[in-house]
Amino acid sequence: MEIAIILLVIAVLFITRSVKVVPQQHAWVIERLGKYHGTLTPGLNFLVPFIDRVAYKHVLKEIPLDIASQVCITKDNTQLQVDGILYFQVTDAMRASYGSSNYIVAISQLAQTSLRSVIGKLELDKTFEERDIINAQVVAAIDEAALNWGVKVLRYEIKDLTPPKEILHAMQAQITAEREKRALIAASEGRRQEQINIATGEREAFIARSEGEKQAAINSAQGEAASITAVAEATANAIERIAAAIRQPGGEQAVQLKVAERAVDAYGKVAADATTTLIIPGNMSEVSGLIATAMKMVQSSK
């Protein structure tokens, strides 16, 4: 009975030592008699009991790593409190096991030194404007060294850039002054645009008025010309009709009669004027004599 129990324990121990199930996105490094033998991939794997052993276990997922806050000095000798976060991934389990005694500490320290070096090349204002450039330079510096550690640095992000209180107050005052300057410029631009709009409106109104006056003058001239033309045409038509009527039988007598009537009217108007001395012939007692006299006056005037 005791032998069976011993054999069962040995069998369980044998199976435990020989059968290994590796989870997905993991890599296990195997050593055979203290020497690197291979890397187990995800799934069911078999080892030689008591000869092979799992020396290192690595996670192949993307891993975030907080970088401790540190003081960096800019190119213009300003201190900045900077912290960030680094994302990396194990790509070679063998190198990650034997390339560095602690690749996480190595990456963290290298990130801090690289960040100090990059910020030391920039002025204070540029550190806030060029975060992407800083992140890219830090990643490039770490990734080059991390290849020997079997690690791929994916990205680095600065979380906080904190200048001293005095510098912060000065920056806030500068921002306030800049905003006031922009407000004044905007107000002056508004007034300038307003004056331009007013001048443009007045010019367009003046042009519109002058165009209206011009069109009105043209219309008036055209109306007067049309009126004169109409009067002339009416007068010509009347003259033509009178001439045609005179050429008809009895036309000359009608003209003489009309002339006599006008003469009588003219004498009447002259006689009505108290300041005018009128000399009339002695035979004015008869109407026929007056007509004859008027006809003679008309003929003499012609």
Side-chain angles (χ1 to χ4, degrees):
M1 186 65 181
E2 293 179 355
I3 296 174
I5 294 174
I6 293 173
L7 292 175
L8 180 60
V9 172
I10 293 173
V12 172
L13 186 60
F14 182 84
I15 293 172
T16 303
R17 291 267 184 173
S18 61
V19 178
K20 299 294 181 182
V21 178
V22 181
Q24 184 66 35
Q25 286 295 95
H26 286 70
W28 293 0
V29 174
I30 302 302
E31 291 181 352
R32 176 167 291 179
L33 298 177
K35 183 180 179 180
Y36 172 75
H37 178 66
T39 302
L40 300 182
T41 58
L44 184 63
N45 296 272
F46 296 96
L47 304 179
V48 177
F50 305 104
I51 296 177
D52 296 338
R53 74 180 186 91
V54 178
Y56 299 97
K57 295 181 179 180
H58 298 286
V59 178
L60 303 182
K61 300 177 184 179
E62 184 176 338
I63 301 173
L65 177 64
D66 279 324
I67 305 301
S69 179
Q70 61 177 333
V71 176
C72 300
I73 300 177
T74 62
K75 186 177 180 180
D76 49 357
N77 296 324
T78 302
Q79 293 183 353
L80 284 177
Q81 194 78 19
V82 186
D83 61 351
I85 184 168
L86 183 71
Y87 297 88
F88 70 94
Q89 186 177 20
V90 176
T91 57
D92 190 333
M94 189 272 287
R95 289 190 176 184
S97 301
Y98 304 105
S100 174
S101 60
N102 192 330
Y103 62 84
I104 294 179
V105 175
I107 291 173
S108 178
Q109 293 297 320
L110 186 57
Q112 289 182 322
T113 56
S114 300
L115 182 62
R116 287 196 297 268
S117 176
V118 172
I119 290 181
K121 299 176 183 178
L122 300 174
E123 296 180 355
L124 177 63
D125 293 338
K126 294 295 183 180
T127 57
F128 295 97
E129 298 174 0
E130 300 182 358
R131 284 197 177 194
D132 292 339
I133 297 176
I134 296 173
N135 296 337
Q137 292 181 357
V138 171
V139 169
I142 300 173
D143 196 40
E144 183 179 357
L147 290 176
N148 295 327
W149 305 333
V151 176
K152 173 67 176 176
V153 178
L154 302 176
R155 58 187 178 278
Y156 177 82
E157 297 290 341
I158 295 176
K159 291 195 295 184
D160 290 318
L161 281 172
T162 307
K165 293 182 179 180
E166 296 79 6
I167 300 297
L168 187 59
H169 290 325
M171 292 174 64
Q172 291 176 347
Q174 181 181 1
I175 292 172
T176 302
E178 186 66 24
R179 289 179 177 174
E180 292 177 352
K181 175 184 174 183
R182 291 178 181 176
L184 292 175
I185 293 174
S188 63
E189 287 292 334
R191 289 192 296 270
R192 174 175 173 270
Q193 190 62 42
E194 179 185 4
Q195 296 298 324
I196 291 174
N197 293 339
I198 292 174
T200 303
E202 292 178 351
R203 180 173 63 86
E204 292 178 354
F206 178 78
I207 293 173
R209 286 194 299 270
S210 64
E211 288 291 336
E213 293 173 356
K214 174 184 175 183
Q215 191 61 43
I218 292 173
N219 294 339
S220 177
Q222 290 177 348
E224 292 178 359
S227 176
I228 293 171
T229 302
V231 171
E233 290 178 353
T235 303
N237 291 334
I239 292 172
E240 290 178 356
R241 292 183 179 182
I242 293 171
I246 292 173
R247 287 193 295 269
Q248 297 295 327
E252 186 174 355
Q253 290 78 7
V255 172
Q256 292 176 356
L257 178 60
K258 190 68 175 177
V259 170
E261 292 177 354
R262 291 291 181 93
V264 172
D265 292 337
Y267 273 110
K269 291 180 180 179
V270 172
D273 190 354
T275 62
T276 303
T277 302
L278 179 63
I279 300 174
I280 59 176
N283 58 354
M284 286 298 293
S285 58
E286 296 181 2
V287 178
S288 59
L290 178 60
I291 295 174
T293 303
M295 290 298 295
K296 290 180 181 180
M297 292 175 64
V298 171
Q299 289 177 359
S300 63
S301 63
K302 290 181 178 180

